[in-house]
Amino acid sequence: MVAEGRKNERALRTLLRDILGGYRMSDEDALQLFRTNDRSIWQIAASADEKRERVIGPIVTYVRNQNINVTNYCINSCGFCGFSKKHGEEGGYLSSRDEIRKKAMLAHQRGVTEICTVSGLHPDFDAGSYTDIITTLKEGAPGVHIHASNPMEVAYAARKSGITTTEVLKLMKAAGLGSLCGTAAEILVDRVRKVICPGKISTDEWVRIIKEAHGLGIPTTATIMYGHCETVEDRVRHLSILRAVQDETGGFTEFVPLSFVHMNTPLFRKGIARAGATGREDLLMTAVSRLYLDNIDHIQVSWVKTGLKMAELGLMAGADDLGGTMFEESISKGAGALNTDYLDPSEMERIATDIGRDLRERDTLYHLI
Ligand code: SF4
């Protein structure tokens, strides 16, 4: 057993050295790394950190942003969602144009450079509703980057208005969309999607809409939601789809692993999902992503999902970005996450300094400010 263990450690060391030397990891390699459950995880994290240093240098970035979720009414019932409400349900809301404009003005006064907006799929929304939201945000916060919607909302808007998804994206861009959120990806394996979000678009549709956006010059983020009922094979399949899209389009700005927040979700309450990822899995998701996604420069930690201490460890395991200050957040909070409202740059500074790196503000597209 001891000899076997040493042999495996040697093989892992060789693999990590090859990756740092420019070898492109195979899906089999990724599976092996994800399955690691002994002290070798620190070797993987150290190699990912070395790769981060070579690609990005000794900085930690963040963006000053605000979330404005316009409505939580949603026709879908995704099993991991603690945010959506049905019509008449307590806690449901739909912000008026005036409220949206006022929130945007407040964000502008706070000096945010980005407003994010993703909402529920309101039964009355169509393509015009989404472009209206973008226009209203622009009125309230001129010059601020609008990071809005996701492939699910684009598909919904197209269906409701009887137009194509490309047409929706063109309308959104004309209204002032700066970039599209790469959420609604969850796990890009239809078998899992049927369990966790049966009402959502398929893997192929998600990929198609993302490619359409990139083709129109609309950058997007890329995400994964892990730690519920997917397998490690599913995670690797997901990463492999993202890497292939990026090879083709180069339109992903960053990769954001989103650790499943289970507390208030139907999936967990019904016993279909487990109670989220473990610390080992969170660490490996960041490290393996850095090593596997050799064509996406920026790997973000989501402090909203994992908490700050785990986020700091992620920054030592391949990640380079702390995400946003988030003056308002309701989606993770709905699912039961704590401390989701605001992270002051001074607290981010404390974390960056603690790991010997400089904190730098960036805009949505990673230009340093
Ligand atoms: S995840 Fe989005 S689409 Fe699914 S129920 Fe929640 S708000 Fe609706």
Side-chain angles (χ1 to χ4, degrees):
M1 282 295 271
V2 175
E4 182 69 13
R6 289 215 181 103
K7 203 171 126 207
N8 290 345
E9 276 188 36
R10 268 203 305 278
L12 178 68
R13 264 202 301 277
T14 306
L15 173 63
L16 293 172
R17 195 190 55 218
D18 287 351
I19 294 167
L20 288 174
Y23 161 72
R24 180 170 249 204
M25 276 172 77
S26 69
D27 292 357
E28 268 309 307
D29 297 330
L31 269 179
Q32 183 196 333
L33 298 196
F34 272 132
R35 286 186 177 133
T36 307
N37 64 355
D38 57 18
R39 63 188 175 213
S40 297
I41 67 166
W42 306 118
Q43 282 183 51
I44 298 168
S47 297
D49 191 52
E50 191 173 334
K51 179 126 184 266
R52 183 271 314 155
E53 193 170 60
R54 290 184 193 178
V55 176
I56 303 299
I59 58 171
V60 172
T61 48
Y62 77 101
V63 60
R64 286 182 74 84
N65 69 353
Q66 167 145 1
N67 258 34
I68 298 180
N69 306 120
V70 171
T71 180
N72 59 356
Y73 288 122
C74 187
I75 56 150
N76 264 356
S77 304
C78 301
F80 55 81
C81 184
F83 165 74
S84 70
K85 300 280 177 202
K86 296 294 172 215
H87 195 66
E89 207 178 322
E90 199 189 327
Y93 70 87
L94 169 64
S95 304
S96 68
R97 261 195 208 168
D98 253 10
E99 287 165 337
I100 298 169
R101 193 178 299 107
K102 275 187 196 137
K103 280 189 179 180
M105 284 167 69
L106 187 62
H108 198 219
Q109 283 160 16
R110 283 170 171 158
V112 308
T113 62
E114 170 190 289
I115 291 176
C116 310
T117 176
V118 176
S119 299
L121 304 173
H122 192 284
D124 298 335
F125 275 15
D126 60 12
S129 318
Y130 289 101
T131 53
D132 262 6
I133 292 170
I134 296 169
T135 312
T136 309
L137 291 171
K138 281 287 207 194
E139 282 165 16
V144 169
H145 183 105
I146 307 297
H147 181 58
S149 291
N150 60 34
M152 180 68 239
E153 289 190 349
V154 172
Y156 182 63
R159 178 158 63 82
K160 291 295 293 289
S161 293
I163 57 177
T164 66
T165 48
T166 305
E167 284 168 324
V168 171
L169 287 164
K170 282 183 182 164
L171 290 171
M172 286 179 166
K173 191 176 180 190
L177 178 74
S179 53
L180 189 76
C181 304
T183 47
E186 325 308 356
I187 291 282
L188 292 169
V189 174
D190 288 334
R191 173 185 50 75
V192 180
R193 298 178 80 73
K194 280 191 187 123
V195 175
I196 65 172
C197 52
K200 272 211 172 123
I201 50 175
S202 67
T203 299
D204 284 353
E205 282 174 288
W206 189 91
V207 169
R208 177 179 56 76
I209 294 167
I210 286 286
K211 284 188 189 171
E212 284 172 2
H214 293 175
L216 291 169
I218 303 169
T220 75
T221 54
T223 62
I224 184 172
M225 188 189 66
Y226 63 98
H228 38 89
C229 51
E230 85 290 357
T231 63
V232 273
E233 285 84 357
D234 296 329
R235 293 178 192 177
V236 173
R237 177 79 196 123
H238 184 104
L239 292 184
S240 126
I241 289 172
L242 296 181
R243 192 168 74 176
V245 170
Q246 185 73 340
D247 275 344
E248 200 179 317
T249 68
F252 288 132
T253 54
E254 64 183 8
F255 177 62
V256 192
L258 301 168
S259 200
F260 174 55
V261 179
H262 66 285
M263 285 78 111
N264 299 336
T265 66
L267 268 188
F268 179 66
R269 283 201 299 262
K270 287 181 191 161
I272 299 167
R274 57 207 177 90
T278 61
R280 178 190 69 86
E281 290 177 299
D282 280 335
L283 197 81
L284 282 178
M285 179 51 76
T286 300
V288 177
S289 305
R290 167 60 74 189
L291 295 170
Y292 183 91
L293 297 173
D294 55 0
N295 51 8
I296 300 181
D297 284 350
H298 302 287
I299 308 289
Q300 188 178 108
V301 283
S302 176
W303 56 267
V304 170
K305 305 284 187 193
T306 64
L308 261 186
K309 291 185 181 182
M310 200 66 222
E312 181 181 3
L313 291 181
L315 289 171
M316 299 178 81
D320 62 298
D321 187 72
L322 258 174
T325 47
M326 294 276 195
F327 284 98
E328 181 180 310
E329 207 281 347
S330 37
I331 292 178
S332 299
K333 194 192 287 178
L338 306 167
N339 305 321
T340 61
D341 280 339
Y342 175 63
L343 183 61
D344 194 88
S346 64
E347 185 60 13
M348 294 182 179
E349 181 93 54
R350 194 169 80 89
I351 290 164
T353 306
D354 189 51
I355 55 173
R357 311 231 290 266
D358 289 332
L359 183 72
R360 296 290 306 272
E361 187 181 346
R362 64 163 175 93
D363 66 14
T364 311
L365 304 180
Y366 279 86
H367 303 115
L368 296 180
I369 293 173

